[in-house]
Amino acid sequence: MEAKNNNVIHFPGRRAEGSNTDSQGPLPQQPRMSGPQKPWFKGALAIGGIALIGIVINGISPSQGQLDQASLGRGIASVDDRSLQPGDRDSRWERSLANDLSKRGGRELASLSLGKRPSPEDRLRFGTLKSQYAVVLNGGRLLEVRWPANQSPTNMVYLTNPGHFLEENRELLPADFHVAVHESEAKGQKGQLAKYALLDQAGRKIASAEFGLDSYGRLLALSISDSTSGQ
């Protein structure tokens, strides 16, 4: 019995799948990261991410210099007359302005360009009388206003209150002039003649003013004479 038992061949047991215990021995295991990651490594990753985001944003967004140049370009374009559309211009106003400037004298245009304050003479010539009358002065004092014979009467100035006219232009009248008093008035078929006395503060007559008006109350002539002229 012992001899038969010795002839029994024992087959080896079934190997485990994936095992290799032959001559090569057991396979080495992959190293594992043990323990928490180091703080400096996490900080480096965070800084790198922030830097990458900043580079991307700067590449997409315009710089401040570009914005300033763009704003400057828009500002210049906004005042460039070539940017005006035909509908933005008022041709009627432009023609009216050109017509008004063409009627002004050289002295008036010079005062406008220099921006100086108009003198009393300028206010009388170009304001009240609208550049339509001949004005005569002596030493800065008004002597006479005449309507030119060759002018159309449609451009004549209406004078409804001669006394108010004298008050407005007192700087061109005798220096002692204080008040104007209506003396007389004579009417005819072609107009009227109104006479005013110019008095000083003491009530003394120092000059006279005579207005010649047409039948519609438009100014034809004005003469100023002092009290020694016998008028």
Side-chain angles (χ1 to χ4, degrees):
M1 291 298 292
E2 293 179 358
K4 290 181 180 181
N5 290 336
N6 292 334
N7 294 330
V8 176
I9 299 174
H10 297 278
F11 292 96
R14 191 173 181 180
R15 296 180 180 179
E17 294 181 2
S19 63
N20 187 6
T21 57
D22 293 337
S23 60
Q24 295 180 355
L27 293 175
Q29 296 182 357
Q30 296 293 332
R32 298 180 181 178
M33 297 181 65
S34 59
Q37 297 180 359
K38 295 184 178 180
W40 65 267
F41 183 74
K42 292 182 178 180
L45 289 177
I47 294 174
I50 294 173
L52 180 60
I53 294 174
I55 293 173
V56 173
I57 293 176
N58 290 335
I60 296 176
S61 302
S63 63
Q64 183 64 33
Q66 292 173 337
L67 290 175
D68 293 343
Q69 291 178 0
S71 300
L72 179 61
R74 287 194 297 270
I76 295 175
S78 64
V79 298
D80 190 357
D81 56 357
R82 291 176 298 179
S83 64
L84 294 176
Q85 301 298 323
D88 297 335
R89 302 184 63 173
D90 189 346
S91 58
R92 182 179 300 178
W93 176 82
E94 292 177 355
R95 288 195 299 268
S96 176
L97 178 61
N99 185 43
D100 180 65
L101 292 177
S102 65
K103 294 181 179 179
R104 295 176 183 265
R107 182 173 183 178
E108 184 182 11
L109 291 176
S111 65
L112 290 175
S113 61
L114 295 177
K116 69 176 185 179
R117 187 175 182 179
S119 65
E121 179 184 350
D122 291 336
R123 291 196 298 269
L124 174 63
R125 287 180 181 272
F126 310 119
T128 304
L129 301 179
K130 302 179 180 179
S131 304
Q132 302 297 322
Y133 290 78
V135 179
V136 180
L137 294 95
N138 182 19
R141 299 298 174 181
L142 181 62
L143 292 181
E144 189 176 357
V145 174
R146 295 193 305 267
W147 172 254
N150 59 348
Q151 291 281 5
S152 171
T154 58
N155 296 325
M156 296 174 67
V157 174
Y158 287 88
L159 197 63
T160 57
N161 191 337
H164 183 64
F165 175 90
L166 296 173
E167 292 289 343
E168 283 186 335
N169 298 279
R170 63 168 44 255
E171 295 178 80
L172 298 176
L173 299 178
D176 295 334
F177 162 61
H178 178 65
V179 65
V181 178
H182 181 256
E183 282 190 323
S184 62
E185 185 173 336
K187 293 184 178 181
Q189 294 182 350
K190 295 184 179 180
Q192 58 181 330
L193 180 66
K195 187 174 183 180
Y196 284 76
L198 306 181
L199 309 180
D200 60 11
Q201 293 185 352
R204 294 187 298 265
K205 182 178 179 179
I206 58 175
S208 297
E210 292 187 356
F211 293 89
L213 308 174
D214 69 357
S215 57
Y216 298 99
R218 296 177 296 190
L219 179 63
L220 291 172
L222 167 63
S223 62
I224 306 294
S225 58
D226 58 34
S227 59
T228 61
S229 62
Q231 297 183 8

